[in-house]
Amino acid sequence: MPEKPGVYIMKNSLGEVIYVGKAKILKNRVRQYFQSSKSHSEKVRAMVKNIAEFEYIVTDNEMEALILEGNLIKKYSPRYNILLKDDKFYPFIKITTNEDFPRVFVTRNFAKDGNKYFGPYTNGTAVYETINLINKVFPLRTCKRVIIEGGEPTRPCLYYHLNQCKAPCANYISKAEYDEMIKSIMDLLNGKNTALVKELKEKMEEAASELEFEKAASYRDKLAAVEAIAEKQKIFTSRSEDEDYIELFSDEIDTCVQIFFVRDGKVNGREHFIFQNTAQDDKGEIIQDFLTSFYGGTALIPKYIYLPEVSDLELMENYLSTKKGSRCFIRIPQKGDKKDLLQMVKNNAQITLEQFKSKLIQEKEINKVALTELASVLQLEELPVRIEAFDISNIQGMDSVGTMVVFEEGKPKNSDYRRFKIKTVQGANDYESMREILTRRFSHGLEEIKSLQERNLELSKGKFLYFPDLIMMDGGKGQVNIALEVLKKLNLEIPVCGMVKDDKHRTRGLIFNNLELPIPNGSNCMHLITRIQDEVHRYAITYHRSLRDKRTLHSILEDIPRIGEKRRRNLLMKFGSVENIKKASIEELMETPSIDRKAAESLKSYFMDKK
């Protein structure tokens, strides 16, 4: 191997990527895996046993290797890498300051587009409450029209008549007056509310002294809303120099990484991430992997990050500064307030990990009771550890789909969920559609088993490899009998039951061996059955809706000038639905790859004409 920086990719016997790592010198780093295993952790030893082949990519420097490593981890989600399962996009409050008459709204898409962003916030409910309160106090426009100062006036909408907008579209308010409201909102979101509170109090008292009690009541309500926002800003504030504090705690098996977000000197929120089977891993490497994953996916990188340690401080500082577009400083405090705050973060990580373990134990016990009750009701000899449930979804035969959800030990196993587009059945024929997806599911499984046996390989990971201990159909006797016919044809013996609902569409019981078996309401068994039925139904509806929306979106976009195949695909990937595209501003549309201003204006013009 070359003595150069780069990324190495470990694969198992099935050719699946199980680990991605970076190295300053590839030869030295990869060689360590194949030397004496005494110094290896349990996780590394388990991984090395599964390495059948590896490949590597040489880079010019370690920074490029770090960036490439992050991209490959996101692409392959390797089993032995530290992965952030909570890959969420936090909400921001966006003020479109690049417009003559800005709008204020919540967005989860951060972009360097000249607009003002506040956040990110970890409490989405609080953000939407804040926006509602802002709209109470400040009559801003919420429409997405392109309104230019001094432009041709148009007829004001209903919001003006409800006193919820000053109608800049009709030239009823000057840009200077409108900007004053925007400045007050920015001050408010930055925690600077003193001047606004004073002004509202004076206006309220003045109106009251002139016996304009309705007007005074309006100022009173606005004052209450401003104070409510200010109260939220004790938790959620934003300024240019932000700080994050990161610490971890490990027990004998797992690790909890906790991050505190500090804005304007106040803790505005926190997040935690549980990394299982990492207790023996190097603490500095865990934190470095966390930094790469977390800040590689989040929109905001603070100016200062405080840590207990990190494997390569200079490398991470350069990486985060490059991602941020300005300097990011990593500090390892040795004493003082910042060290004390890190200790508090660590204490919280310990408590969070203990609560997580306690909850897991409790859930495991409840699920075991539920599975025991289920086995007793169905008179099964063993507990049904793996349960697969199936459902069909369509509207009058259009976009017909089937779905499979998996529960193991009473918990959803999302990685084993599967979706099927119905290929051989025309129209709304749920029975034949179910026959198709069951045949495909179990035929693929048998083929995977046969392939592995022919190559003398152990049964390992496969798309349909593992068969269930119990099949649950979202339906009655008809669906159950279809499943039994498919299994008989494939020479498989797996118990099949149907989940039936009452007239109010609530889970009622199970169909098994052509008999309806009542399940006591409130029992652990009934709760489990209901969860399974709700989950398979949700998964089917969601998949069907996504296909329907894509088809609708595709057909509508084909009629819009300047929107070709490539642009339709990019819009589809970014927004997902026609409604989201309609709501998007020109600037948000231009954030889509290949969409320039003319194409964005063409989209907005098309949807405006359709109103």
Side-chain angles (χ1 to χ4, degrees):
M1 293 190 67
E3 296 183 4
K4 292 183 178 182
V7 171
Y8 54 93
I9 304 165
M10 304 298 194
K11 297 182 179 181
N12 63 12
S13 57
L14 296 174
E16 298 165 336
V17 175
I18 59 174
Y19 187 77
V20 175
K22 65 157 183 64
K24 195 170 185 178
I25 300 176
L26 278 167
K27 182 176 182 179
N28 295 349
R29 184 71 183 95
V30 175
R31 181 173 54 192
Q32 293 175 5
Y33 289 104
F34 303 103
Q35 294 176 341
S36 172
S37 63
K38 291 180 181 179
S39 60
H40 291 167
S41 67
E42 285 295 329
K43 187 178 82 171
V44 172
R45 281 199 286 269
M47 182 190 78
V48 171
K49 285 181 182 178
N50 285 290
I51 297 174
E53 60 175 309
F54 67 86
E55 59 184 79
Y56 58 86
I57 301 171
V58 175
T59 59
D60 290 335
N61 52 60
E62 196 176 3
M63 173 66 73
E64 290 182 358
L66 184 64
I67 295 170
L68 178 59
E69 178 196 35
N71 292 337
L72 292 176
I73 288 173
K74 285 181 182 178
K75 179 179 179 181
Y76 294 114
S77 298
R79 178 180 177 185
Y80 292 100
N81 280 99
I82 288 178
L83 303 174
L84 289 186
K85 296 182 180 179
D86 191 8
D87 188 17
K88 63 177 71 169
F89 293 90
Y90 296 105
F92 292 80
I93 292 178
K94 178 178 179 179
I95 302 180
T96 57
T97 50
N98 62 0
E99 296 179 333
D100 280 0
F101 295 91
R103 294 167 293 128
V104 180
F105 55 90
V106 177
T107 181
R108 293 181 185 268
N109 298 316
F110 180 90
K112 296 178 181 179
D113 53 8
N115 293 304
K116 183 69 176 175
Y117 291 84
F118 292 84
Y121 302 116
T122 56
N123 188 331
T125 303
V127 178
Y128 284 102
E129 287 177 3
T130 300
I131 286 292
N132 290 335
L133 291 172
I134 287 173
N135 290 334
K136 266 187 180 180
V137 180
F138 303 98
L140 300 177
R141 74 183 184 101
T142 56
C143 65
K144 295 180 180 177
R145 298 183 191 179
V146 178
I147 303 175
I148 303 171
E149 184 184 20
E152 187 70 26
T154 59
R155 182 181 175 184
C157 66
L158 182 62
Y159 286 105
Y160 169 74
H161 299 289
L162 294 173
N163 295 319
Q164 294 179 17
C165 177
K166 288 289 188 179
C169 57
N171 293 339
Y172 290 173
I173 183 173
S174 68
K175 186 176 186 304
E177 291 176 291
Y178 198 94
D179 285 344
E180 279 298 313
M181 289 196 293
I182 294 297
K183 182 180 180 300
S184 296
I185 292 170
M186 288 194 200
D187 288 343
L188 195 56
L189 291 172
N190 277 315
K192 303 172 185 177
N193 65 314
T194 308
L196 182 58
V197 168
K198 183 181 177 182
E199 180 187 347
L200 289 172
K201 278 184 178 179
E202 288 174 354
K203 288 183 177 181
M204 179 181 69
E205 290 167 359
E206 181 184 346
S209 65
E210 295 177 2
L211 304 181
E212 295 179 336
F213 298 117
E214 189 174 330
K215 192 175 182 181
S218 173
Y219 284 124
R220 179 202 61 200
D221 294 342
K222 289 181 178 180
L223 183 61
V226 167
E227 288 173 343
I229 296 173
E231 186 65 29
K232 291 181 186 301
Q233 296 316 304
K234 291 178 182 177
I235 303 172
F236 297 104
T237 61
S238 178
R239 70 174 187 175
S240 56
E241 293 186 4
D242 302 327
E243 299 176 340
D244 286 354
Y245 289 75
I246 301 171
E247 248 287 14
L248 58 79
F249 176 82
S250 298
D251 61 11
E252 62 278 4
I253 301 173
D254 304 321
T255 300
C256 175
V257 175
Q258 186 101 194
I259 176 169
F260 274 33
F261 307 106
V262 177
R263 306 292 181 260
D264 198 22
K266 303 161 190 161
V267 176
N268 85 337
R270 65 174 183 170
E271 281 289 339
H272 71 269
F273 301 87
I274 306 294
F275 301 116
Q276 296 180 323
N277 302 314
T278 54
Q280 297 181 24
D281 293 2
D282 180 75
K283 185 176 181 179
E285 289 188 6
I286 292 175
I287 290 178
Q288 183 158 310
D289 287 344
F290 173 79
L291 291 174
T292 308
S293 300
F294 184 76
Y295 292 113
T298 193
L300 183 70
I301 298 175
K303 186 170 184 179
Y304 295 99
I305 299 175
Y306 295 92
L307 309 166
E309 61 181 275
V310 66
S311 294
D312 194 327
L313 190 149
E314 184 180 356
L315 174 66
M316 290 311 302
E317 267 195 349
N318 292 336
Y319 169 72
L320 294 174
S321 296
T322 302
K323 293 280 293 181
K324 179 178 173 64
S326 60
R327 280 303 304 271
C328 173
F329 300 92
I330 295 178
R331 298 287 184 262
I332 302 176
Q334 302 299 318
K335 59 182 179 179
D337 294 342
K338 293 181 176 13
K339 176 71 173 176
D340 293 341
L341 184 52
L342 272 183
Q343 183 60 46
M344 184 176 78
V345 177
K346 183 173 183 176
N347 293 341
N348 277 270
Q350 179 178 355
I351 293 169
T352 301
L353 185 60
E354 289 170 353
Q355 290 175 340
F356 173 76
K357 291 294 186 70
S358 176
K359 186 179 178 182
L360 277 184
I361 293 170
Q362 187 179 23
E363 287 181 352
K364 192 171 183 178
E365 290 175 352
I366 292 172
N367 289 334
K368 187 173 182 180
V369 170
L371 291 172
T372 303
E373 291 176 0
L374 180 60
S376 175
V377 168
L378 301 179
Q379 298 182 359
L380 302 178
E381 294 181 1
E382 297 181 356
L383 292 187
V385 176
R386 180 183 173 95
I387 299 173
E388 292 182 3
F390 297 85
D391 191 18
I392 298 293
S393 180
N394 62 67
I395 295 179
Q396 296 180 343
M398 292 290 290
D399 298 317
S400 190
V401 299
T403 50
M404 174 185 99
V405 302
V406 179
F407 276 62
E408 279 197 358
E409 296 183 338
K411 297 187 299 182
K413 189 177 182 183
N414 303 72
S415 60
D416 283 8
Y417 284 18
R418 296 292 178 259
R419 308 186 301 189
F420 305 85
K421 284 184 184 178
I422 303 302
K423 299 178 180 179
T424 62
V425 181
Q426 299 296 322
N429 190 332
D430 286 357
Y431 287 163
E432 289 306 311
S433 297
M434 185 62 75
R435 188 189 302 277
E436 178 189 324
I437 69 167
L438 288 170
T439 302
R440 285 164 59 185
R441 182 266 177 270
F442 289 106
S443 296
H444 287 322
L446 291 170
E447 289 168 6
E448 287 179 0
I449 294 172
K450 182 180 179 182
S451 175
L452 290 171
Q453 289 174 341
E454 287 176 350
R455 291 185 288 166
N456 292 320
L457 297 175
E458 293 182 10
L459 294 184
S460 181
K461 187 177 178 183
K463 196 172 181 180
F464 295 99
L465 188 61
Y466 297 107
F467 284 3
D469 303 309
L470 175 67
I471 296 172
M472 304 185 83
M473 312 297 295
D474 186 33
K477 293 181 180 179
Q479 297 282 25
V480 171
N481 290 331
I482 290 292
L484 291 172
E485 289 174 15
V486 170
L487 294 175
K488 183 178 180 181
K489 188 174 181 181
L490 296 173
N491 294 318
L492 294 173
E493 291 186 10
I494 302 172
V496 182
C497 63
M499 300 175 286
V500 290
K501 294 189 176 183
D502 59 22
D503 295 337
K504 296 182 180 179
H505 211 65
R506 293 177 302 195
T507 305
R508 184 178 70 201
L510 295 177
I511 295 287
F512 188 63
N513 291 335
N514 283 322
L515 296 174
E516 181 169 334
L517 306 175
I519 312 292
N521 282 328
S523 67
N524 290 309
C525 181
M526 177 58 85
H527 287 314
L528 175 61
I529 295 167
T530 302
R531 286 209 318 273
I532 293 172
Q533 189 167 32
D534 290 345
E535 178 67 356
V536 71
H537 188 62
R538 178 202 65 80
Y539 194 53
I541 290 293
T542 302
Y543 183 40
H544 173 260
R545 186 180 293 127
S546 70
L547 291 182
R548 186 189 64 209
D549 288 348
K550 286 178 183 178
R551 177 172 50 80
T552 305
L553 177 62
H554 233 24
S555 60
I556 289 176
L557 294 182
E558 286 173 357
D559 299 331
I560 303 177
R562 296 183 178 274
I563 305 300
E565 176 62 32
K566 182 178 179 181
R567 285 174 169 169
R568 284 199 298 270
R569 185 170 61 250
N570 290 341
L571 286 165
L572 178 63
M573 291 177 65
K574 181 172 177 61
F575 294 100
S577 72
V578 176
E579 285 304 312
N580 289 341
I581 292 181
K582 285 180 181 178
K583 292 175 184 177
S585 65
I586 287 178
E587 288 71 24
E588 288 171 332
L589 291 169
M590 288 173 63
E591 293 171 12
T592 308
S594 78
I595 300 293
D596 56 18
R597 179 165 286 278
K598 288 185 177 180
E601 289 174 348
S602 177
L603 279 162
K604 293 302 291 183
S605 175
Y606 176 85
F607 288 120
M608 288 295 291
D609 291 343
K610 290 289 183 182
K611 286 186 176 180

